Amino acid sequence: MEILTQVSMALQEGDDQQVSTLINTLLEEGVKPEKIIDKGLIAGMDIIGIKFKAHEIFLPDVLLAAKAMEIGMEKLKPLLSLSSTTVIGKIVLGTVHGDLHDIGKNLVAIMLKGAGFEVIDLGKNVEPKYFVETALKAQADIIGLSTLLTTTMPVMKNVVDLLRKSDSSRNVKVIIGGAPTSKEFALDIGADAYAFDAVSAVDRIKILALS
Ligand code: B1M
C-alpha cells in the first residue's frame, strides 16, 4: 500500500504514533509536506467524516482521528512556515461562536504565516464582539472566519454586521471558509471573500490585503 494511503489509514485508526512514523518516512523520501497534508491527513479525515455521517464510527473515533491529525500537523508545521520574512498584512482569525472545529482553521493559520501574514489566532468558539474588537484594536487588515457547522453559519453574518457598524470606513475586510460555506453565502452575508481551502485562502487574502 502506498505510504500516503497508510498515513490516511493510521489517522482513521487514531494511531498517532504510526502517523508520525510514516510522516518521517515520507519526509525522508522527499515528499512535500503540503502533499502529505492533502493526500494523507486530509484524505483520512474526509473518510472519517463520511463514516461518522453514516454512523459507522462514533464521536470518540473522530476525536482520536482529530488528535492524530493534530500530531501530524505539528510535525509538518515548521516545514510549511519557512518561506517568508516580511510581514505583508495582519489578520484576525478564528472559528465562530458555537463551533469547536479548528483543524482547518489551524491549517489556514499555518499557511498564512508561511506566506508572510501576521496572524492573531483567537481560537475556536469565538464571539462576534471579540473578532471585531480585536481587529479594530490591532488595526488588522482582515478578519478570517471559519465554520464547519451549518448551525453556526449565521454567526458569520453577525460578525460582518457588527464589523460594518463599528468600522464605517470599511477598512477591515472579511473572508470566510469552512465546508458548509460558499461564495454565494459570502456574498449573501456581505463578506468580502470566500475560500474553499487553505491554499486558496492565502491567495484571496493576499488580494484583499492589497485592495
Ligand atoms: Co465534527 N462535524 N462535530 N467534530 N467533524 C463535521 C464537521 C461533520 C460534517 C461530520 C458529518 O456529519 N459528516 C458534522 C457537521 C454537519 C453540519 O453541520 N453540516 C459534524 C458534527 C455534526 C459534529 C458534532 C455536532 C457532533 C456531535 O456532537 N454530535 C460536534 C460539534 C461540536 C461543536 O463544534 N460544537 C462535532 C465535534 C467534532 C470533534 C470535536 C470530535 C472533531 C473536531 C476536532 C477539532 O477540530 N479540534 C470533529 C471532526 C474532526 C469532524 C470532521 C470528521 C473532520 C473536520 C476536519 O478537521 N477536517 C468533520 C467531517 C468532515 O469535514 N469531513 C466533522 C479536516 C480539515 C483540514 O478540513 O476543517 O474542512 P476543514 O478545513 C478546510 C476547509 O474547510 C477550509 O480550509 C481547510 C483546509 O483546506 N477552511 C477555510 C476551513 N476554515 C477556513 C477559513 C478560511 C478559508 C478556508 O478563511 C478564513
Side-chain angles (χ1 to χ4, degrees):
M1 195 193 301
E2 206 197 332
I3 304 179
L4 282 165
T5 313
Q6 290 181 39
V7 172
S8 160
M9 298 288 286
L11 180 137
Q12 290 170 55
E13 283 155 17
D15 187 345
D16 50 41
Q17 277 191 352
Q18 180 69 350
V19 166
S20 217
T21 309
L22 290 167
I23 288 178
N24 284 341
T25 311
L26 286 166
L27 291 173
E28 276 162 21
E29 286 183 3
V31 179
K32 287 221 161 72
E34 290 84 354
K35 188 168 178 185
I36 301 175
I37 291 175
D38 198 30
K39 306 278 182 228
L41 300 176
I42 294 183
M45 209 43 131
D46 281 347
I47 297 174
I48 284 286
I50 292 165
K51 288 185 173 167
F52 179 63
K53 199 174 177 184
H55 307 290
E56 286 172 29
I57 58 167
F58 301 96
L59 217 48
D61 308 301
V62 182
L63 272 170
L64 281 176
K67 181 81 193 145
M69 173 103 189
E70 268 170 43
I71 285 176
M73 297 265 287
E74 278 305 310
K75 202 168 192 64
L76 295 168
K77 190 156 76 174
L79 304 172
L80 289 167
S81 308
L82 284 176
S83 43
S84 190
T85 45
T86 43
V87 173
I88 57 173
K90 199 186 278 186
I91 174 160
V92 170
L93 186 67
T95 304
V96 298
H97 185 59
D99 190 347
L100 303 175
H101 296 86
D102 64 355
I103 295 172
K105 182 267 298 167
N106 293 343
L107 196 53
V108 173
I110 292 168
M111 299 291 209
L112 282 170
K113 283 180 198 159
F117 282 89
E118 180 184 340
V119 179
I120 304 174
D121 188 345
L122 300 182
K124 55 197 171 188
N125 196 20
V126 181
E127 296 272 5
K129 203 173 145 203
Y130 193 35
F131 277 111
V132 173
E133 282 177 0
T134 309
L136 295 179
K137 201 168 158 202
Q139 296 188 316
D141 307 291
I142 294 153
I143 293 178
L145 304 173
S146 174
T147 199
L148 287 206
L149 297 174
T150 40
T151 47
T152 47
M153 287 168 70
V155 184
M156 292 180 148
K157 179 166 171 21
N158 298 346
V159 179
V160 175
D161 289 348
L162 186 61
L163 177 68
R164 301 303 184 220
K165 262 192 231 153
S166 319
D167 171 40
S168 51
S169 56
R170 295 178 73 100
N171 279 339
V172 184
K173 306 279 192 295
V174 180
I175 180 164
I176 65 162
T181 64
S182 63
K183 198 174 166 184
E184 291 68 34
F185 178 68
L187 213 67
D188 260 11
I189 65 169
D192 301 285
Y194 157 77
F196 169 73
D197 61 12
V199 174
S200 61
V202 173
D203 292 342
R204 299 272 186 289
I205 289 167
K206 275 185 186 162
I207 295 168
L208 284 182
L210 294 173
S211 65

